[in-house]
Amino acid sequence: MIHAIKVGSGWCKYKTTTIIAPGDYYKLDGKPNDLLKRQLALQAVQDPNGKFHWITPAAEWIRFVLLGQFVKETTAYGRPIDIAHLTETFGGFDITRLRPWQLRAVADAVSALESGFQYRRACIVSLGGGKTLAGLLLGTLGDRAAVLAPRHTHDTWRRDADKWKLPCPIISTYESAHRIEPVDVLILDEVLLCANSDTLRSEKARLLSKSASIVVALTGTPTSARGPLDWRWLDCVRPGCVPTNEVPWRFLFSTQTEVKEVAPGRKAYVTPATSWDTEKIAAYVAPFLMRVDTSELLAHLPPVTYTRLTVPKPKDWEIVMKGAATTHGASKRLTQARMLSDGFVLDDDGKVIRLDSNKINAVGEFVEGLGEPVVIFAAWRETIAALAKRLHDFNPAIVSGDTADIGFQIQRFLNSETDVLIVNSRAGSGIDGLQQRSRIEIFVSNSTSPVDRVQAEGRIYRAGQNRGCQIVDVVAEDTLDVRQLELLKGHNDLSASMVEKILLEALT
């Protein structure tokens, strides 16, 4: 039996003086088994009178696990769409210009509000499906609206607001969300930034979310390829709907979680990437999601061709692989192997050792012979610096962790002030408009996340592209480049850690 209780002062962990945070909890009668303890993240506590209890935070996901149902607030969704009513609601905006998913999203929001419900939905839409326009329209449904987004996307929101003649919401980074007063409508753009629910940005997003009538999260991919745990970002859309503790995820959705020794003298729960029950996870998160089929968008895109530019293996490959640059183990050599293809390694002290790079010269010659704009992706800071030096005559725009004003650099490329944009492979998401200038991408090196690769390709191969696209991968022969590329392109469901594990096996 489950009871809702209010925990105040004087409650502490069982047989300790550790105080339990005051708040709303559920109390379980009887003695739960070990699996239920882990599934619900149960705590053994004692009240101010010294009486023992099993309690757990009173979150919505707890209710679902115990009773098999979420709190029903979706009865207003899926109603017939009234075009005339929506046109009036949105101040005469031509609703018929919307794509089907945009129309459904705004119609459901209007229906929910008119029925007295909150509207909380995550919209997973890729390839330029019109997320910004949907967000702008939803923002007009409240007196005060805000968008939390990466800084380099702010200009896109302002530009689209001008284009569609819609009010522009307050725009902020996630890091600056604490400066925003409570809002009626909250749009979370590139919400995967909140994949780790323990970060400060996630906490700030949740605080704004709790008081808003409309909360919509926009993303192109459901997870950031670190596995099902990344669905924790849904807690920013609808606080309490998913566990934020890692343990319940493992014991709710894995088929094989074991305690293993992960380091000498250190044991931890380990869940193989292949043991997650993906169908069960999909059913669990479905009430909060709007998945948009982009096959219609893809059908109208021009063709895309993939080519490889193969260069000789670095001359120092064998000696570095034997451990000449490190006294550490195979994991360090794997990192050095991936770096070496780009012409450098980091030694054990973090010092950069620059070596000859066949890739950098090959890319330079390729770009010089193109005669048209190109976007280049590279995984390492040192690679980006080497490319910028080799392509100095183009005065390239650069987007990386060292870039002070990412939006300014992107605008330089979009405004034809340069024909070369160099981007860190992990920073591809959220950069819009590149398809209007370029149809060619070059990958000098990749991160180990398949989603990073998908997002990067989607910068030019997306709605609005009207020319055939060419994607060029630069690979060093007889290195790990080819194997990594095969994993990234053939296994979008792999986590970055699994890709690294497979590469490590190939190396050793």
Side-chain angles (χ1 to χ4, degrees), residues 462-480:
R462 60 191 291 135
Q465 179 63 265
N466 53 23
R467 299 173 292 167
C469 294
Q470 182 182 9
I471 295 177
V472 181
D473 285 287
V474 187
V475 297
E477 60 184 356
D478 299 326
T479 68
L480 293 179

Side-chain angles (χ1 to χ4, degrees), residues 474-490:
V474 187
V475 297
E477 60 184 356
D478 299 326
T479 68
L480 293 179
D481 282 356
V482 174
R483 182 60 176 142
Q484 179 173 344
L485 187 60
E486 290 172 348
L487 292 171
L488 296 180
K489 292 182 66 60

Side-chain angles (χ1 to χ4, degrees), residues 73 81 198 332:
E73 292 182 353
I81 296 174
D198 296 328
K332 177 67 173 182

Side-chain angles (χ1 to χ4, degrees), residues 387-410:
L387 288 166
K389 183 177 180 181
R390 175 64 178 81
L391 298 169
H392 178 267
D393 291 344
F394 290 88
N395 190 20
I398 297 175
V399 174
S400 71
D402 296 328
T403 304
D405 190 339
I406 292 176
F408 173 74
Q409 294 295 323
I410 295 172

Side-chain angles (χ1 to χ4, degrees), residues 67-83:
L67 304 179
Q69 64 181 28
F70 289 107
V71 176
K72 300 298 184 183
E73 292 182 353
T74 59
T75 55
Y77 299 170
R79 287 184 179 178
I81 296 174
D82 186 337
I83 296 294

